[in-house]
């Protein structure tokens, strides 16, 4: 049959430049003359369909379509910028700081609850005091539910510092949950490319920040990000220490040194793997690497636990939906820490946290441990998993 | 002017049929299900010569209210027709109306057609007759047995539903029909069904028509019989794409592989297209309306941007430092990064 091939299904011929490149990067879209027969994105989706349809059941189709659609971003406000009207300009476009809105709504709700219970049990502790706190002063603006507007790229102010950082708004949640208080020393075990690191610095409560990432090139990127967002004086203060080593070593070398540790481990980056072919972790050549991920994640979390002082908090976060990389890793790390290292770690309940932000994000119902932000077309953030732990001894 | 004609009742269908028989104008029209009630009603002669003969004796003349009434229009209908005819300054309204009457349309349907499509007033009777004959030749007349009472044939239905078809030249109808048969490989019967169910195709751009067919054939793996059953051509391409991609990205529809196999059972095309949006959402997609509306907005924006990019197609180099493995946050890619070659292949 005379089937005219639609131009949209064809590939443009490669530009044909010969270069010496690492094996891992050899087949790039713009140089490939033909497509791979099974693109890694397809393999990734197949993998997700098999495992998540069982794990998430009825929720999976909505998550799937959201992950395959354009992601929604949030603008993390850079308080180091001297530009006066960053927030008002953004708000004029229709977005709002979800953190302050959700928190004030929650406080109102909480105080109404307080007034109801206070005359009943005056002997009990004031519920407001029991309400856990979160890292202060972070502002992240998002467009309302169902609104698909995009942010314009941030513009530099008079000193070349950018006004905001565009990231998945759900990425801010682990930083909020970490509850950084003034004077704390913080370790960010897998810091690159730097969104969460930047959010940590926005709290203005960090006494000293150690940002580490295994990959040298990604550490460079982290440095560049910080240079675009922080004034030179701040960078020169030696408050920030950037290293490029294996995070698992830091557990031993920096034992009990930090009040707060953020462990944002490498994972299968579900959303990214379903959409972007380049260097996809579901490529056949990276199968071993992918299968060893849960082990690596457990080791990193253990290192993070080791590096925490007694009474300190650890937040473990990934951007995958997989139970094997989320709950299983946390539970394994907790039991290993107890058995092998004699460290007692307690899971901190984040249900109040999920309830607080349930207007902006879709949370998965009833996880065994931790909270999971699910992508949904009306609120296309995530997937982000987070779990808060406290070291007891 | 009306006083002399007041006693004349509007002619019954049987009278029209008898007039046609008597004047042997259109023998074929009779077979289209017009029940010969005339066997019970005998009106052998008219006081005046038959209005039709009067009409045919005065071709292209000024349309009078009198002649309209004789054709069977009520007073109000006749006035409206007359107004419409004078406004359009059509010169052959008589012959046009004759042709429509010969088709077997009753006066109120004809009025509705003229209201829907006033351009018909400006047609030439001969042209119209030629077009109607051509459509009939293409098979748009169903052979209906005389035992079925008053079953309007497909030709009348199509013209009543979509009067614009009368404005289209024979050549255009031929081109569309050829496209359907030769490029899309529909059978003649299927092509007729398509024209009958979705006469809008006659006005569409041929390449867009072909694209829609190819989308259904290759992208959705649907074959011709299913397309006809699902009245594929009634839907716009954007709505088709929207409903299909929504299902596909939810994992409820898969493009069949080379052997025509899928891992899941695809819902049949008519279940997707022929139902209202609510039914589609509840039964087929199993999703909320909000979700679908956001999805539609996203698709519309995507299409718009693709259209614009095709216009300014450039081979800009994408940023080099694409070290994005495990990159979960941060937007330092330009929007064009979304347009990798694989984007279209999302399943």
């Amino acid at each position: 049959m005379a089937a005219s091939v639609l131009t949209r299904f064809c590939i443009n011929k490669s530009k044909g430049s010969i270069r010496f490149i690492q094996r891992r990067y050899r087949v790039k879209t713009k140089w490939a003359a033909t497509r791979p027969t099974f693109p890694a994105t397809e393999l990734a989706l197949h993998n997700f369909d098999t495992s998540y349809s069982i794990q998430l059941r009825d929720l999976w189709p909505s998550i799937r379509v959201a992950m395959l659609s354009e992601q929604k971003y949030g603008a993390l406000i850079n308080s180091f910028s001297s530009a006066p009207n960053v927030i008002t300009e953004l708000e004029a476009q229709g977005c709002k700081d979800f953190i302050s809105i959700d928190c004030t709504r929650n406080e109102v709700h909480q105080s109404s609850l307080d007034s109801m219970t206070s005359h009943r049990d005056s002997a009990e502790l004031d519920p407001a005091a029991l309400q856990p706190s979160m890292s202060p002063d972070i502002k992240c603006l998002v467009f309302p539910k169902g609104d698909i507007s995009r942010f314009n790229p941030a513009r530099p102010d008079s000193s070349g510092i950018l006004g905001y950082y565009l990231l998945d708004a759900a990425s801010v949640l682990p930083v909020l949950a970490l509850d950084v208080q003034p004077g704390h020393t913080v370790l960010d075990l897998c810091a690159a490319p730097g969104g969460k690191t930047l959010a940590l610095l926005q709290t203005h409560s960090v006494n000293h920040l150690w940002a580490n990432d295994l990959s040298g090139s990604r550490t460079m990127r982290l440095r560049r990000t910080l240079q675009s967002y922080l004034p030179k004086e701040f960078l020169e203060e030696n408050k920030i220490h950037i290293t490029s080593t294996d995070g698992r070593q830091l557990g031993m070398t920096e034992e009990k040194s930090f009040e707060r540790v953020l462990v944002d481990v490498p994972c299968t980056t579900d959303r990214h793997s379903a959409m972007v072919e380049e260097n996809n972790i579901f490529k056949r050549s990276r199968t071993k690497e992918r299968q060893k991920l849960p082990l690596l994640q457990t080791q990193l979390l253990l290192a993070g636990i080791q590096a925490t002082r007694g009474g300190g908090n650890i937040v473990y976060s990934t951007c995958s939906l997989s139970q094997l990389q989320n709950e299983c890793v946390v539970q394994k790390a907790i039991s290993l820490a107890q058995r092998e290292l004699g460290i007692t770690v307690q899971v901190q309940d984040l249900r109040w946290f999920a309830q607080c932000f349930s207007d902006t994000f879709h949370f998965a119902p009833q996880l065994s441990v931790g909270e999971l932000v699910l992508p949904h077309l009306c609120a296309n953030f995530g997937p982000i998993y987070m779990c808060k732990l406290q070291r007891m001894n | 002017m009306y006083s002399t004609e007041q006693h004349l009742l509007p002619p019954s269908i049987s009278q029209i049929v008898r007039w046609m028989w008597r004047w042997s104008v259109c023998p074929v029209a009779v077979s289209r299900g017009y029940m010969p009630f005339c066997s019970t009603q005998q009106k052998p002669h008219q006081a005046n010569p038959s209005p039709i003969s009067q009409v045919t004796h005065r071709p292209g003349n000024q349309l009078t209210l009198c002649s309209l009434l004789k054709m069977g229009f009520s007073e109000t209908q006749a006035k409206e027709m007359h107004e419409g005819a004078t406004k359009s300054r059509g010169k052959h309204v008589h012959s046009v109306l004759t042709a429509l009457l010969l088709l077997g349309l009753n006066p109120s349907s004809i009025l509705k057609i003229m209201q829907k499509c006033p351009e018909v007033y400006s047609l030439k009777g001969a042209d119209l007759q030629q077009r109607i004959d051509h459509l009939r030749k293409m098979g748009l007349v169903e052979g209906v047995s005389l035992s079925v009472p008053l079953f309007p044939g497909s030709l009348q239905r199509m013209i009543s539903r979509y009067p614009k078809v009368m404005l289209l030249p024979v050549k255009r109808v031929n081109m569309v029909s050829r496209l359907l048969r030769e490029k899309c490989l529909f059978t003649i019967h299927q092509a007729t069904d398509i024209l009958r169910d979705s006469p809008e195709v006659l006005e569409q751009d041929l390449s867009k028509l072909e694209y829609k067919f190819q989308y259904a054939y290759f992208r959705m793996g649907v074959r011709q019989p299913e397309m006809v059953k699902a009245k594929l051509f009634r839907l716009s391409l954007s709505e088709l794409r929207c409903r299909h991609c929504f299902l596909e990205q939810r994992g409820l529809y898969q493009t069949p592989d080379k052997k025509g196999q899928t891992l899941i059972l695809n819902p049949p095309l008519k279940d997707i297209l022929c139902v209202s949006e609510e039914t589609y959402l509840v039964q087929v997609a199993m999703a909320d309306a909000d979700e679908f509306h956001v999805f539609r907005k996203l698709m519309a924006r995507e299409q718009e941007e693709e259209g614009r990019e095709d216009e300014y197609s450039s081979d800009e180099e994408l940023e080099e430092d694409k070290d994005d493995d495990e990159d979960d946050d941060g937007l330092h890619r330009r929007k064009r990064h979304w347009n990798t070659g694989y984007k279209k292949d999302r399943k």
Side-chain angles (χ1 to χ4, degrees):
Chain A
M1 129 167 224
S4 59
V5 182
L6 303 165
T7 50
R8 285 156 208 245
F9 290 85
C10 288
I11 296 218
N12 296 321
K13 268 263 164 94
S14 65
K15 281 218 144 180
S17 60
I18 302 173
R19 282 219 232 162
F20 193 69
I21 30 176
Q22 284 181 304
R23 191 167 184 273
R24 220 155 77 128
Y25 300 103
R26 210 159 267 170
V27 178
K28 284 222 171 188
T29 317
K30 50 189 187 276
W31 295 317
T34 55
R35 277 185 191 160
T37 40
F38 283 105
T41 46
E42 235 177 85
L43 294 171
L45 266 173
H46 188 74
N47 181 301
F48 298 157
D49 279 331
T50 327
S51 39
Y52 299 153
S53 54
I54 304 171
Q55 181 188 324
L56 299 162
R57 283 180 301 235
D58 289 340
L59 300 171
W60 172 234
S62 296
I63 299 172
R64 193 184 195 275
V65 61
M67 289 215 297
L68 294 173
S69 306
E70 188 179 316
Q71 188 178 5
K72 201 169 172 183
Y73 286 92
L76 174 71
I77 300 295
N78 183 16
S79 47
F80 295 101
S81 160
S82 53
N85 296 321
V86 176
I87 297 184
T88 38
E89 273 173 24
L90 284 173
E91 282 181 341
Q93 292 172 30
C95 44
K96 296 214 167 62
D97 175 17
F98 75 88
I99 303 173
S100 44
I101 290 183
D102 287 343
C103 284
T104 43
R105 191 180 24 85
N106 201 52
E107 272 167 25
V108 167
H109 179 70
Q110 201 64 21
S111 57
S112 65
L113 282 179
D114 291 351
S115 57
M116 284 194 322
T117 57
S118 58
H119 23 270
R120 260 191 279 149
D121 339 297
S122 47
E124 260 189 39
L125 279 169
D126 181 15
L130 287 175
Q131 187 191 351
S133 59
M134 41 184 170
S135 308
D137 295 333
I138 300 178
K139 291 191 177 56
C140 184
L141 271 64
V142 294
F143 284 100
K145 250 188 177 172
D147 187 331
I148 58 167
S149 315
R150 290 184 183 136
F151 284 103
N152 298 318
R155 285 196 317 270
D157 67 3
S158 45
S159 36
I161 305 294
L162 294 170
Y164 50 86
Y165 183 86
L166 292 177
L167 80 175
D168 182 343
S171 300
V172 176
L173 295 176
V175 177
L176 287 170
L178 190 58
D179 187 26
V180 179
Q181 293 304 320
H184 278 169
T185 328
V186 184
L187 168 64
D188 189 350
L189 213 50
C190 312
K196 294 190 178 74
T197 319
L198 203 56
L200 284 168
L201 292 168
Q202 298 301 321
T203 60
H204 295 278
S205 306
V206 177
N207 189 30
H208 187 84
L209 174 68
W210 185 315
N212 175 65
D213 198 88
L214 178 61
S215 151
S217 53
R218 284 163 63 81
T219 317
M220 282 308 300
R221 190 151 155 212
L222 170 66
R223 255 186 240 274
R224 282 203 300 272
T225 306
L226 293 179
Q227 275 165 6
S228 318
Y229 284 87
L230 303 172
K232 260 201 280 192
E233 311 82 58
F234 191 85
L235 286 169
E236 280 162 9
E237 271 176 41
N238 280 330
K239 273 193 167 183
I240 308 175
H241 184 50
I242 302 176
T243 55
S244 182
T245 60
D246 189 341
R248 296 173 284 189
Q249 307 303 322
L250 285 180
M252 292 188 291
T253 56
E254 303 295 326
E255 236 187 309
K256 294 205 202 168
S257 314
F258 301 94
E259 274 94 24
R260 297 287 187 262
V261 177
L262 179 62
V263 187
D264 181 25
V265 293
C267 58
T268 50
T269 55
D270 291 357
R271 190 188 277 274
H272 191 88
S273 302
M275 294 276 269
V276 179
E277 186 65 23
E278 265 176 46
N279 231 4
N280 195 311
I281 199 167
F282 284 87
K283 262 195 324 196
R284 293 200 203 276
S285 50
R286 292 180 80 183
T287 309
K288 271 250 174 71
E289 187 187 334
R290 180 169 50 86
Q291 285 167 343
K292 288 200 226 154
L293 266 178
L295 177 61
L296 170 66
Q297 292 162 341
T298 317
Q299 288 168 338
L300 281 167
L301 180 53
L302 262 179
I305 292 171
Q306 276 183 298
T308 319
R309 284 209 183 108
N313 286 347
I314 307 117
V315 168
Y316 172 79
S317 96
T318 69
C319 40
S320 167
L321 295 162
S322 161
Q323 261 175 353
L324 288 174
Q325 294 172 52
N326 298 340
E327 295 112 292
C328 296
V329 166
V330 171
Q331 279 157 351
K332 192 100 207 270
I334 294 177
S335 64
L336 274 177
Q338 187 66 70
R339 277 199 337 254
E340 313 269 317
L341 305 168
I343 305 177
T344 313
V345 172
Q346 204 184 59
V347 175
Q348 304 295 93
D349 193 2
L350 283 176
R351 263 175 303 170
W352 67 275
F353 197 76
Q355 259 174 17
C356 182
F357 293 111
S358 56
D359 258 11
T360 315
F361 304 98
H362 278 242
F363 284 92
Q366 287 179 328
L367 251 57
S368 60
V369 60
E371 294 295 331
L372 180 60
V373 174
L374 299 173
H376 190 272
L377 277 174
C378 301
N380 207 356
F381 306 111
I384 294 278
Y385 172 81
M386 59 190 143
C387 182
K388 184 171 175 182
L389 307 168
Q390 189 175 39
R391 177 166 175 168
M392 307 312 286
N393 54 0
Chain B
M1 175 175 131
Y2 298 102
S3 51
T4 50
E5 260 74 40
Q6 257 172 359
H7 65 280
L8 260 188
L9 294 165
S12 64
I13 292 156
S14 56
Q15 284 178 326
I16 297 179
V17 170
R18 257 178 295 120
W19 289 336
M20 289 194 254
W21 267 342
R22 186 179 302 179
W23 303 104
S24 310
V25 178
C26 184
V28 185
V30 174
S31 67
R32 234 171 308 107
Y34 270 78
M35 178 77 140
F37 291 131
C38 52
S39 53
T40 56
Q41 288 177 319
Q42 289 300 317
K43 276 207 192 147
H45 81 100
Q46 301 288 322
N48 308 325
S50 157
I52 293 263
S53 68
Q54 270 184 340
V55 167
T56 51
H57 284 327
R58 297 182 292 157
N61 274 8
Q62 197 68 12
L63 187 74
T64 59
L65 279 167
C66 165
S67 51
L68 279 171
L69 288 170
K70 286 216 184 86
M71 281 183 184
F73 293 97
S74 71
E75 283 182 26
T76 31
Q77 288 174 335
K79 262 197 251 172
E80 214 183 311
M81 286 292 276
H82 196 258
E83 248 185 74
T86 7
K87 239 197 286 183
S88 70
R89 283 184 274 225
K91 297 200 179 60
H92 308 274
V93 188
H94 249 312
S95 31
V96 165
L97 291 178
T98 315
L100 290 174
L101 280 168
L102 292 179
L103 205 47
L105 289 163
N106 66 37
S108 35
S109 317
I110 296 183
L111 181 63
K112 274 200 209 112
I113 288 172
M114 301 314 239
Q115 284 166 344
K116 253 198 245 183
C117 186
E119 291 91 341
V120 178
Y121 284 123
S122 323
L123 290 174
K124 283 202 189 133
D127 285 345
L128 179 58
Q129 194 58 58
Q130 184 195 37
R131 288 169 192 174
I132 291 177
D133 288 339
H134 178 74
L135 288 170
R136 194 177 286 127
K137 250 193 291 177
M138 290 183 56
L140 271 153
V141 177
E142 288 169 342
V144 179
S145 80
L146 291 174
S147 60
V148 179
L150 286 179
F151 186 78
S154 46
L155 185 55
Q156 291 104 315
R157 259 192 302 170
M158 186 169 103
I159 288 184
S160 313
R161 236 196 86 218
Y162 197 72
K164 279 202 223 166
V165 69
M166 293 186 280
L167 305 173
L168 298 168
V170 168
K171 191 168 155 212
R172 172 83 199 165
V173 177
N174 266 341
M175 282 199 322
V176 174
S177 165
R178 271 228 314 273
L179 180 91
L180 290 175
R181 282 180 289 123
E182 290 167 19
K183 288 230 179 132
C184 305
L185 296 185
F186 284 102
T187 64
I188 296 179
H189 200 79
Q190 286 169 339
T192 310
D193 284 346
I194 291 174
L195 290 180
R196 189 195 59 220
D197 290 329
S198 338
E200 310 87 67
V201 300
L202 292 167
E203 281 196 302
Q204 277 175 22
D205 177 46
L206 291 178
S207 53
K208 288 210 181 114
L209 207 55
E210 202 180 345
Y211 187 97
K212 195 189 288 188
F213 168 79
Q214 287 176 336
Y215 187 89
Y217 193 91
F218 294 107
R219 191 89 165 72
M220 296 178 70
V222 178
R223 295 299 174 251
Q224 284 86 345
E226 237 188 302
M227 291 189 208
V228 178
K229 237 194 292 177
K231 303 195 173 67
L232 169 71
F233 293 96
R234 273 202 191 170
L235 221 62
S236 68
L237 178 65
S238 57
E239 186 61 23
L240 171 69
R241 220 198 298 247
C242 208
R243 288 197 184 188
H244 165 247
C245 286
F246 191 59
L247 287 181
E248 191 184 50
Q249 289 185 22
R250 284 175 77 78
L252 301 171
Y253 198 100
Q254 279 179 4
T255 303
D257 63 8
K258 286 190 293 216
K259 298 188 193 153
Q261 295 167 332
T262 51
L263 290 168
I264 59 170
L265 192 61
N266 285 346
L269 191 62
K270 65 171 167 53
D271 286 353
I272 303 175
L273 302 186
C274 290
V275 296
S276 70
E277 192 174 287
E278 294 81 54
T279 320
Y280 161 78
L281 285 173
V282 168
Q283 286 180 4
V284 188
M286 290 172 284
D288 299 326
D290 300 323
E291 241 186 289
F292 189 56
H293 293 154
V294 174
F295 184 78
R296 200 191 265 128
K297 277 196 277 186
L298 285 168
M299 278 229 95
R301 184 166 72 182
E302 208 181 288
Q303 291 304 309
E304 193 197 347
E305 286 175 353
E306 263 177 39
R308 264 190 274 143
E309 274 191 15
D310 286 342
E311 271 177 42
Y312 318 125
S313 60
S314 62
D315 24 30
E316 270 186 28
E317 282 289 301
L318 300 176
E319 287 179 33
E320 273 309 309
D321 58 332
K322 279 287 158 275
D323 219 334
D324 329 349
D325 41 337
E326 288 104 30
D327 179 355
D328 56 314
D329 47 14
L331 175 69
H332 286 291
R333 324 166 192 162
R334 275 175 278 159
K335 303 274 188 330
R336 276 175 194 268
H337 176 78
W338 288 113
N339 201 12
T340 63
Y342 299 101
K343 182 182 136 197
K344 286 25 161 238
D345 260 0
R346 274 174 286 153
K347 291 280 165 74

